[in-house]
């Protein structure tokens, strides 16, 4: 610290720990140009300032951690959603293209889905569906519904209304 004292030209220092619960976040360092003896009121004021600073730093760290968790949850949700939405078949007589835009809300995976698949008679079945909700349960219901619909459409060689009734 001798180098710091010398380079700054400061003559009085107060160094206070910044605690948030049991965690030590860092230190608050305050300096003055002239030597001084701190009064009890000044010590109290500095301690209160350190406590407020620690509280603010703790909130900032908590918000940053929350944002990081939300960002990771969104990334995971989008990856899961994309993995459930497979590439469509490409029959020789039709070109099928799909586009998926993830939800704008954080981690809003849900039950919206599309599918395109071949059925037993060689025809192409195109489906757009929506299972109520925007959470993991909706995504699970969507995946189950999609797979059941594929199997039902393949097994029931009738028009779409009959496939939906069978489903």
């Amino acid at each position: 610290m001798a180098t710091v004292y010398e380079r700054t030209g400061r003559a009085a220092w107060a160094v206070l720990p910044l605690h948030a619960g049991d965690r030590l976040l860092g230190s608050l360092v305050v300096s003055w140009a002239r030597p001084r003896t701190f009064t009890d009121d000044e010590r109290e004021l500095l301690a209160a300032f350190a406590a407020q600073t620690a509280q603010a730093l703790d909130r900032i760290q908590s918000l940053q951690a929350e944002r990081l968790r939300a960002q990771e949850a969104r990334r995971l949700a989008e990856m899961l959603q994309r993995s459930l939405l497979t590439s469509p078949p490409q029959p020789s007589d039709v070109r099928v293209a799909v586009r998926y835009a993830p939800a704008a809300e954080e981690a809003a995976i849900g039950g919206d889905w599309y599918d395109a698949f071949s059925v037993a008679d060689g025809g192409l079945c195109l489906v757009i569906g929506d299972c109520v909700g925007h959470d993991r349960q909706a995504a699970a219901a969507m995946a189950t519904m999609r797979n059941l619909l594929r199997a039902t459409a393949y097994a029931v060689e009738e028009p779409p209304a009959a496939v939906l009734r069978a489903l």
Side-chain angles (χ1 to χ4, degrees):
M1 287 300 295
T3 305
V4 172
Y5 296 151
E6 186 180 315
R7 287 187 181 168
T8 62
R10 308 306 267 176
W13 297 79
V15 180
L16 300 110
L18 299 176
H19 287 285
D22 296 350
R23 296 181 309 128
L24 177 63
L25 303 177
S27 299
L28 172 67
V29 179
V30 184
S31 66
W32 288 261
R34 296 189 190 131
R36 66 181 304 117
T37 302
F38 298 105
T39 66
D40 288 342
D41 285 345
E42 289 172 326
R43 283 190 199 99
E44 239 179 84
L45 179 64
L46 288 168
F49 185 59
Q52 290 295 314
T53 303
Q55 193 175 61
L57 285 174
D58 187 46
R59 277 194 303 257
I60 289 167
Q61 288 178 350
S62 293
L63 285 172
Q64 286 174 334
E66 187 178 318
R67 282 187 190 118
L68 184 60
R69 283 190 303 272
Q71 186 178 41
E72 285 298 311
R74 178 179 168 80
R75 189 181 63 74
L76 179 62
E78 183 179 337
M79 188 170 52
L80 175 60
Q81 186 88 37
R82 286 186 186 281
S83 74
L84 294 171
L85 301 172
T86 58
S87 298
Q90 295 299 326
S92 60
D93 56 341
V94 177
R95 180 159 184 240
V96 180
V98 294
R99 300 291 178 264
Y100 170 68
E105 296 175 28
E106 294 297 318
I109 187 172
D112 300 346
W113 54 285
Y114 63 80
D115 202 0
F117 52 91
S118 300
V119 290
D121 67 2
L124 180 65
C125 185
L126 301 174
V127 182
I128 297 173
D130 186 0
C131 295
V132 176
H134 287 335
D135 54 18
R136 288 183 299 247
Q137 287 79 17
M142 178 271 290
T144 301
M145 184 69 65
R146 178 177 169 264
N147 291 334
L148 284 172
L149 180 60
R150 277 180 165 230
T152 304
Y154 194 84
V156 177
E157 296 185 45
E158 294 186 40
V163 171
L164 288 176
R165 269 194 309 276
L167 180 65

